[in-house]
Amino acid sequence: MTDSAERIPTVMGALRSPRMLKTEVLAGLVVALALIPEAIAFSIIAGVDPRVGLFASFTMAVSIAFLGGRPAMISAGTGAIALVIAPVAKQYGLDYFIATVILAGVFQVIFGVLGVARLMRFIPRSVMVGFVNALAILIFTSQFPALIGVPWLVYPLVAVGLLIMFLLPRITSVVPAPLVAIVLLTVATVVFTLNVPDVGDEGELPSSLPALLIPDVSLNLETLSIIAPYALAMAIVGLLESLLTAKLVDDVTDTHSNKTRESWGQGAANVITGFFGGMGGCAMVGQTMINVKASGARTRISTFLAGVFLLILVVGLGDVVALIPMAALAAVMIMVAIGTMDWHSISPKTLRRMPKSETAVMLATVVVTVATHNLAYGVVVGVVTAMVLFARRVAHLTEVVDVAHPNEDTRIYAVKGELFFASSNDLVYQFDYAGDPKNIVIDLSGAHVWDASTVATLDAITTKYEAKGKRAVIVGLDAASAQRHVRLTGQLSGGH
């Protein structure tokens, strides 16, 4: 069977196919238009000039198009990154802010080289489902500023935009529906001089190209002590969000991507972004879904062109871009939120069939992510919840059975299940130390010893029998369990 990675469309394949190339070009244009207001908004969150966010989105997209491991994924300045490093700009100024971005990129490169992407295998499916659903909610709620306290004309514009994106794909897929919606709504607001909020109201667009910037900070331990904690937090949040988004795109496109390359690629892109005065960033789920799901892009061409079009639009066509109504972009993002939500996971039929522990993990991920607006917090809480519930479930699968009495002086117990800290702690209470005969055989052929806690518990059991003048022996250990038992038994002070 052909590896799924071989089915990923290549850049050369797209360049040779007019149909694919058109899809990639138009997708890049739609994403660029959607990036502009978000980049400005994230700059405001970070407490820096809008140009810092716009330049970051340009350099991140262009850099990751060459360096990243997930084709068609969009990286740019994000709200999660803005929230993490905003205190640096507020307390220490732009130079320290940029230095933090560069150091975070260095950390990400190191993490990538060390193979941190392999940790993705420990994220359960229920956490991924929660991650996706939380993203859909955040994408939707992030449009509230464009929908609350605005002129009433905004609402029919949003409704028309949604209608276009819902109906047009049923008629033709020649042009991406989001692009058609943006263009038609912009033309309508200009022709009929509708007084509604537009991109120009979000902030001043840059009029020049980004230039190389060396942050004016002292290279000493004092500077490192200031920026390192924020840089480390940014590196972790950025990598987590990027790797989860990459996995999401893998699922949507039924292809495989290189997560290790994506890890160090994100770091290198952040270093480049920092040296061009950008605020740094990571993968953007909303824009990635616009690119992959709504527009049908599959190669690095769309990612590269999203950055190029963004720069051309804000620097060369800023006056035109400023006329785009925020209602059009809000409609696009609402449609993305609807498409991102895993509706099957929250249907009554699925919830009735799904184990309660799986649903609890999904809900914990969603609630924490939405409450904190931080995907990293949500995923960490989800993974920890999954681990605790799994340990609790496995612990209850361990049992001690009185299986045989060969003679009046001997009793054989069989222990079955997986023995680790959660399941073995209660094991010591499941034997009748006072009532048992002189010789006790504990058969572990149906169990496996996983950790030192279990060895300490077994030591405690034999010690309790010895205190009663009786002899207990452990038999039936498999090779790995026996090796662990021999190495640790008698060496763990304090019994159990």
PDB file of all heavy atoms in Angstrom, residues 46-48 85-100 215-217 226-227:
ATOM      1  N   ALA A  46      -1.035  42.604  22.019  1.00  0.00           N
ATOM      2  CA  ALA A  46       0.367  42.553  22.451  1.00  0.00           C
ATOM      3  C   ALA A  46       0.892  43.915  22.893  1.00  0.00           C
ATOM      4  O   ALA A  46       1.967  44.010  23.490  1.00  0.00           O
ATOM      5  CB  ALA A  46       1.245  42.012  21.322  1.00  0.00           C
ATOM      6  N   GLY A  47       0.140  44.972  22.592  1.00  0.00           N
ATOM      7  CA  GLY A  47       0.568  46.316  22.979  1.00  0.00           C
ATOM      8  C   GLY A  47       1.639  46.894  22.086  1.00  0.00           C
ATOM      9  O   GLY A  47       2.494  47.665  22.552  1.00  0.00           O
ATOM     10  N   VAL A  48       1.619  46.538  20.792  1.00  0.00           N
ATOM     11  CA  VAL A  48       2.619  47.054  19.851  1.00  0.00           C
ATOM     12  C   VAL A  48       1.905  47.661  18.639  1.00  0.00           C
ATOM     13  O   VAL A  48       0.699  47.501  18.467  1.00  0.00           O
ATOM     14  CB  VAL A  48       3.581  45.938  19.387  1.00  0.00           C
ATOM     15  CG1 VAL A  48       4.407  45.432  20.559  1.00  0.00           C
ATOM     16  CG2 VAL A  48       2.813  44.763  18.752  1.00  0.00           C
ATOM     17  N   ILE A  85       3.347  37.061  25.481  1.00  0.00           N
ATOM     18  CA  ILE A  85       4.490  37.974  25.547  1.00  0.00           C
ATOM     19  C   ILE A  85       4.099  39.451  25.663  1.00  0.00           C
ATOM     20  O   ILE A  85       4.963  40.324  25.680  1.00  0.00           O
ATOM     21  CB  ILE A  85       5.422  37.788  24.331  1.00  0.00           C
ATOM     22  CG1 ILE A  85       4.667  38.010  23.013  1.00  0.00           C
ATOM     23  CG2 ILE A  85       6.045  36.411  24.351  1.00  0.00           C
ATOM     24  CD1 ILE A  85       5.572  37.916  21.794  1.00  0.00           C
ATOM     25  N   ALA A  86       2.787  39.741  25.768  1.00  0.00           N
ATOM     26  CA  ALA A  86       2.345  41.128  25.919  1.00  0.00           C
ATOM     27  C   ALA A  86       2.992  41.842  27.110  1.00  0.00           C
ATOM     28  O   ALA A  86       3.346  43.027  26.995  1.00  0.00           O
ATOM     29  CB  ALA A  86       0.819  41.174  26.044  1.00  0.00           C
ATOM     30  N   PRO A  87       3.181  41.186  28.273  1.00  0.00           N
ATOM     31  CA  PRO A  87       3.793  41.888  29.410  1.00  0.00           C
ATOM     32  C   PRO A  87       5.194  42.436  29.118  1.00  0.00           C
ATOM     33  O   PRO A  87       5.605  43.437  29.708  1.00  0.00           O
ATOM     34  CB  PRO A  87       3.848  40.811  30.500  1.00  0.00           C
ATOM     35  CG  PRO A  87       2.748  39.862  30.146  1.00  0.00           C
ATOM     36  CD  PRO A  87       2.733  39.837  28.651  1.00  0.00           C
ATOM     37  N   VAL A  88       5.931  41.795  28.209  1.00  0.00           N
ATOM     38  CA  VAL A  88       7.286  42.260  27.898  1.00  0.00           C
ATOM     39  C   VAL A  88       7.236  43.629  27.223  1.00  0.00           C
ATOM     40  O   VAL A  88       7.990  44.548  27.587  1.00  0.00           O
ATOM     41  CB  VAL A  88       8.026  41.247  26.990  1.00  0.00           C
ATOM     42  CG1 VAL A  88       9.446  41.737  26.692  1.00  0.00           C
ATOM     43  CG2 VAL A  88       8.063  39.873  27.628  1.00  0.00           C
ATOM     44  N   ALA A  89       6.341  43.771  26.241  1.00  0.00           N
ATOM     45  CA  ALA A  89       6.215  45.057  25.549  1.00  0.00           C
ATOM     46  C   ALA A  89       5.760  46.143  26.510  1.00  0.00           C
ATOM     47  O   ALA A  89       6.244  47.290  26.455  1.00  0.00           O
ATOM     48  CB  ALA A  89       5.233  44.937  24.387  1.00  0.00           C
ATOM     49  N   LYS A  90       4.859  45.797  27.406  1.00  0.00           N
ATOM     50  CA  LYS A  90       4.314  46.780  28.323  1.00  0.00           C
ATOM     51  C   LYS A  90       5.342  47.245  29.345  1.00  0.00           C
ATOM     52  O   LYS A  90       5.441  48.444  29.656  1.00  0.00           O
ATOM     53  CB  LYS A  90       3.095  46.175  29.044  1.00  0.00           C
ATOM     54  CG  LYS A  90       2.390  47.146  29.976  1.00  0.00           C
ATOM     55  CD  LYS A  90       1.162  46.499  30.596  1.00  0.00           C
ATOM     56  CE  LYS A  90       0.445  47.478  31.531  1.00  0.00           C
ATOM     57  NZ  LYS A  90      -0.759  46.867  32.155  1.00  0.00           N
ATOM     58  N   GLN A  91       6.142  46.313  29.863  1.00  0.00           N
ATOM     59  CA  GLN A  91       7.067  46.642  30.946  1.00  0.00           C
ATOM     60  C   GLN A  91       8.457  47.058  30.472  1.00  0.00           C
ATOM     61  O   GLN A  91       9.112  47.881  31.117  1.00  0.00           O
ATOM     62  CB  GLN A  91       7.208  45.442  31.882  1.00  0.00           C
ATOM     63  CG  GLN A  91       5.921  45.048  32.585  1.00  0.00           C
ATOM     64  CD  GLN A  91       6.105  43.814  33.448  1.00  0.00           C
ATOM     65  OE1 GLN A  91       7.154  43.617  34.063  1.00  0.00           O
ATOM     66  NE2 GLN A  91       5.089  42.958  33.502  1.00  0.00           N
ATOM     67  N   TYR A  92       8.904  46.511  29.336  1.00  0.00           N
ATOM     68  CA  TYR A  92      10.298  46.726  28.945  1.00  0.00           C
ATOM     69  C   TYR A  92      10.470  47.367  27.569  1.00  0.00           C
ATOM     70  O   TYR A  92      11.589  47.753  27.204  1.00  0.00           O
ATOM     71  CB  TYR A  92      11.065  45.388  28.983  1.00  0.00           C
ATOM     72  CG  TYR A  92      11.022  44.729  30.335  1.00  0.00           C
ATOM     73  CD1 TYR A  92      10.145  43.672  30.577  1.00  0.00           C
ATOM     74  CD2 TYR A  92      11.835  45.171  31.372  1.00  0.00           C
ATOM     75  CE1 TYR A  92      10.090  43.056  31.822  1.00  0.00           C
ATOM     76  CE2 TYR A  92      11.797  44.561  32.625  1.00  0.00           C
ATOM     77  CZ  TYR A  92      10.912  43.506  32.840  1.00  0.00           C
ATOM     78  OH  TYR A  92      10.863  42.918  34.079  1.00  0.00           O
ATOM     79  N   GLY A  93       9.424  47.443  26.763  1.00  0.00           N
ATOM     80  CA  GLY A  93       9.525  48.103  25.470  1.00  0.00           C
ATOM     81  C   GLY A  93       9.709  47.148  24.304  1.00  0.00           C
ATOM     82  O   GLY A  93       9.868  45.932  24.475  1.00  0.00           O
ATOM     83  N   LEU A  94       9.713  47.715  23.098  1.00  0.00           N
ATOM     84  CA  LEU A  94       9.716  46.921  21.862  1.00  0.00           C
ATOM     85  C   LEU A  94      10.990  46.104  21.683  1.00  0.00           C
ATOM     86  O   LEU A  94      10.943  44.964  21.221  1.00  0.00           O
ATOM     87  CB  LEU A  94       9.522  47.846  20.654  1.00  0.00           C
ATOM     88  CG  LEU A  94       9.448  47.152  19.290  1.00  0.00           C
ATOM     89  CD1 LEU A  94       8.258  46.204  19.238  1.00  0.00           C
ATOM     90  CD2 LEU A  94       9.362  48.175  18.168  1.00  0.00           C
ATOM     91  N   ASP A  95      12.158  46.660  22.038  1.00  0.00           N
ATOM     92  CA  ASP A  95      13.410  45.935  21.811  1.00  0.00           C
ATOM     93  C   ASP A  95      13.452  44.638  22.614  1.00  0.00           C
ATOM     94  O   ASP A  95      13.858  43.588  22.102  1.00  0.00           O
ATOM     95  CB  ASP A  95      14.601  46.827  22.165  1.00  0.00           C
ATOM     96  CG  ASP A  95      14.839  47.917  21.136  1.00  0.00           C
ATOM     97  OD1 ASP A  95      15.053  47.565  19.961  1.00  0.00           O
ATOM     98  OD2 ASP A  95      14.779  49.097  21.477  1.00  0.00           O
ATOM     99  N   TYR A  96      13.046  44.687  23.867  1.00  0.00           N
ATOM    100  CA  TYR A  96      13.001  43.467  24.674  1.00  0.00           C
ATOM    101  C   TYR A  96      11.940  42.505  24.136  1.00  0.00           C
ATOM    102  O   TYR A  96      12.105  41.283  24.181  1.00  0.00           O
ATOM    103  CB  TYR A  96      12.715  43.807  26.141  1.00  0.00           C
ATOM    104  CG  TYR A  96      13.940  44.268  26.897  1.00  0.00           C
ATOM    105  CD1 TYR A  96      14.341  45.591  26.869  1.00  0.00           C
ATOM    106  CD2 TYR A  96      14.699  43.365  27.640  1.00  0.00           C
ATOM    107  CE1 TYR A  96      15.467  46.027  27.565  1.00  0.00           C
ATOM    108  CE2 TYR A  96      15.835  43.776  28.347  1.00  0.00           C
ATOM    109  CZ  TYR A  96      16.211  45.113  28.299  1.00  0.00           C
ATOM    110  OH  TYR A  96      17.328  45.520  28.977  1.00  0.00           O
ATOM    111  N   PHE A  97      10.859  43.065  23.634  1.00  0.00           N
ATOM    112  CA  PHE A  97       9.782  42.271  23.036  1.00  0.00           C
ATOM    113  C   PHE A  97      10.314  41.469  21.850  1.00  0.00           C
ATOM    114  O   PHE A  97      10.085  40.254  21.744  1.00  0.00           O
ATOM    115  CB  PHE A  97       8.666  43.229  22.599  1.00  0.00           C
ATOM    116  CG  PHE A  97       7.474  42.560  21.972  1.00  0.00           C
ATOM    117  CD1 PHE A  97       6.430  42.085  22.746  1.00  0.00           C
ATOM    118  CD2 PHE A  97       7.365  42.429  20.591  1.00  0.00           C
ATOM    119  CE1 PHE A  97       5.315  41.486  22.171  1.00  0.00           C
ATOM    120  CE2 PHE A  97       6.262  41.830  20.008  1.00  0.00           C
ATOM    121  CZ  PHE A  97       5.235  41.360  20.810  1.00  0.00           C
ATOM    122  N   ILE A  98      11.044  42.140  20.966  1.00  0.00           N
ATOM    123  CA  ILE A  98      11.610  41.470  19.788  1.00  0.00           C
ATOM    124  C   ILE A  98      12.661  40.441  20.194  1.00  0.00           C
ATOM    125  O   ILE A  98      12.735  39.339  19.628  1.00  0.00           O
ATOM    126  CB  ILE A  98      12.219  42.510  18.820  1.00  0.00           C
ATOM    127  CG1 ILE A  98      11.139  43.466  18.292  1.00  0.00           C
ATOM    128  CG2 ILE A  98      12.916  41.815  17.661  1.00  0.00           C
ATOM    129  CD1 ILE A  98      10.008  42.795  17.558  1.00  0.00           C
ATOM    130  N   ALA A  99      13.470  40.776  21.196  1.00  0.00           N
ATOM    131  CA  ALA A  99      14.486  39.833  21.682  1.00  0.00           C
ATOM    132  C   ALA A  99      13.822  38.571  22.236  1.00  0.00           C
ATOM    133  O   ALA A  99      14.333  37.451  22.060  1.00  0.00           O
ATOM    134  CB  ALA A  99      15.341  40.486  22.760  1.00  0.00           C
ATOM    135  N   THR A 100      12.676  38.736  22.869  1.00  0.00           N
ATOM    136  CA  THR A 100      11.928  37.590  23.400  1.00  0.00           C
ATOM    137  C   THR A 100      11.468  36.677  22.273  1.00  0.00           C
ATOM    138  O   THR A 100      11.553  35.443  22.373  1.00  0.00           O
ATOM    139  CB  THR A 100      10.712  38.076  24.213  1.00  0.00           C
ATOM    140  OG1 THR A 100      11.158  38.924  25.269  1.00  0.00           O
ATOM    141  CG2 THR A 100       9.952  36.905  24.798  1.00  0.00           C
ATOM    142  N   PRO A 215      17.505  44.052  17.800  1.00  0.00           N
ATOM    143  CA  PRO A 215      16.991  44.656  19.037  1.00  0.00           C
ATOM    144  C   PRO A 215      18.101  45.269  19.887  1.00  0.00           C
ATOM    145  O   PRO A 215      19.171  44.661  20.053  1.00  0.00           O
ATOM    146  CB  PRO A 215      16.323  43.479  19.753  1.00  0.00           C
ATOM    147  CG  PRO A 215      16.916  42.255  19.152  1.00  0.00           C
ATOM    148  CD  PRO A 215      17.246  42.605  17.738  1.00  0.00           C
ATOM    149  N   ASP A 216      17.876  46.456  20.385  1.00  0.00           N
ATOM    150  CA  ASP A 216      18.860  47.194  21.178  1.00  0.00           C
ATOM    151  C   ASP A 216      18.752  46.783  22.642  1.00  0.00           C
ATOM    152  O   ASP A 216      18.156  47.480  23.469  1.00  0.00           O
ATOM    153  CB  ASP A 216      18.627  48.703  21.012  1.00  0.00           C
ATOM    154  CG  ASP A 216      19.687  49.522  21.739  1.00  0.00           C
ATOM    155  OD1 ASP A 216      20.751  48.963  22.082  1.00  0.00           O
ATOM    156  OD2 ASP A 216      19.440  50.734  21.962  1.00  0.00           O
ATOM    157  N   VAL A 217      19.287  45.601  22.949  1.00  0.00           N
ATOM    158  CA  VAL A 217      19.303  45.107  24.333  1.00  0.00           C
ATOM    159  C   VAL A 217      20.710  44.646  24.685  1.00  0.00           C
ATOM    160  O   VAL A 217      21.496  44.266  23.814  1.00  0.00           O
ATOM    161  CB  VAL A 217      18.316  43.923  24.515  1.00  0.00           C
ATOM    162  CG1 VAL A 217      16.886  44.373  24.260  1.00  0.00           C
ATOM    163  CG2 VAL A 217      18.687  42.760  23.596  1.00  0.00           C
ATOM    164  N   ILE A 226      15.152  38.363  32.187  1.00  0.00           N
ATOM    165  CA  ILE A 226      13.897  39.068  31.898  1.00  0.00           C
ATOM    166  C   ILE A 226      13.112  38.358  30.800  1.00  0.00           C
ATOM    167  O   ILE A 226      11.916  38.097  30.934  1.00  0.00           O
ATOM    168  CB  ILE A 226      14.166  40.534  31.488  1.00  0.00           C
ATOM    169  CG1 ILE A 226      14.709  41.331  32.688  1.00  0.00           C
ATOM    170  CG2 ILE A 226      12.895  41.193  30.944  1.00  0.00           C
ATOM    171  CD1 ILE A 226      15.200  42.707  32.318  1.00  0.00           C
ATOM    172  N   ILE A 227      13.799  38.032  29.703  1.00  0.00           N
ATOM    173  CA  ILE A 227      13.085  37.535  28.526  1.00  0.00           C
ATOM    174  C   ILE A 227      12.931  36.017  28.483  1.00  0.00           C
ATOM    175  O   ILE A 227      12.002  35.515  27.842  1.00  0.00           O
ATOM    176  CB  ILE A 227      13.761  38.020  27.221  1.00  0.00           C
ATOM    177  CG1 ILE A 227      15.148  37.384  27.043  1.00  0.00           C
ATOM    178  CG2 ILE A 227      13.848  39.533  27.191  1.00  0.00           C
ATOM    179  CD1 ILE A 227      15.800  37.714  25.706  1.00  0.00           C
TER     180      ILE A 227
END
